[in-house]
Amino acid sequence: MRFLLLACLLGCDSGSAAGGDAPGGGGNPSAKQFCVSETNRYRAMNSKPALTESAQLETYADTGAMVDLGSSPHNHFSSTSGGGIAFAENECPGQFGWNYNPGDDLNMVVGMCIAAFYSEGPGTDYNTHGHYINMMGAYATLGCGIYFSGGKITIVQDYGN
């Protein structure tokens, strides 16, 4: 199965609106904690310091996941310029094949998303290595947001200082 992943730094284009599902769902705290710990596991493999889980970024990322599932990837991040707290964002957008239904293993879906970010590998071309670049970036904090509705899930990672 192939998924489209989108990475964004401040100033990226949010794309066009795509409509969305009715509101619902949301991530459970353990999946968000898993998102941070799994990201830190990959960072440790590359001798990068651990990121601290940020409640403020988590709230921002949750809103971003909800807004983006109903519009387009990175719409919230771009339209708010990171809300003054997020400086890079990774996203697994529901519009592009990320699915979740209640009863599925949410941590497994989050883990697949993070593994996909990491699989881009090191490089300098942001278009092909952007998620990896963000994951390994010189950030100090991370907030993960999760929103699902109608069988689709959007997972957002927002990075801060």
Side-chain angles (χ1 to χ4, degrees), residues 61-154:
D62 267 339
T63 300
M66 182 182 68
V67 167
D68 291 357
L69 184 59
S71 59
S72 60
H74 301 296
N75 181 30
H76 178 255
F77 182 82
S78 295
S79 67
T80 65
S81 298
I85 59 171
F87 301 102
E89 178 173 272
N90 286 345
E91 183 168 331
C92 291
Q95 299 93 321
F96 298 115
W98 288 92
N99 300 308
Y100 175 79
N101 290 295
D104 292 349
D105 184 339
L106 186 55
N107 283 351
M108 183 183 77
V109 176
V110 169
M112 289 171 47
C113 174
I114 295 167
F117 295 155
Y118 186 77
S119 72
E120 291 178 357
T124 57
D125 180 2
Y126 197 77
N127 291 318
T128 56
H129 303 282
H131 299 101
Y132 182 93
I133 291 168
N134 286 348
M135 280 181 75
M136 299 301 143
Y139 303 108
T141 58
L142 175 63
C144 296
I146 302 168
Y147 188 80
F148 53 89
S149 178
K152 302 291 183 193
I153 187 168
T154 294

Side-chain angles (χ1 to χ4, degrees), residues 2 5 18 31-32 34 37 39 42 44 47 52 54 64 79 85 92-93 107 125 141 151 154 157 160:
R2 199 159 236 227
L5 302 171
K32 294 173 189 176
F34 176 75
S37 66
T39 300
Y42 283 109
S47 302
T52 302
S54 164
S79 67
I85 59 171
C92 291
N107 283 351
D125 180 2
T141 58
T154 294
Q157 289 186 316

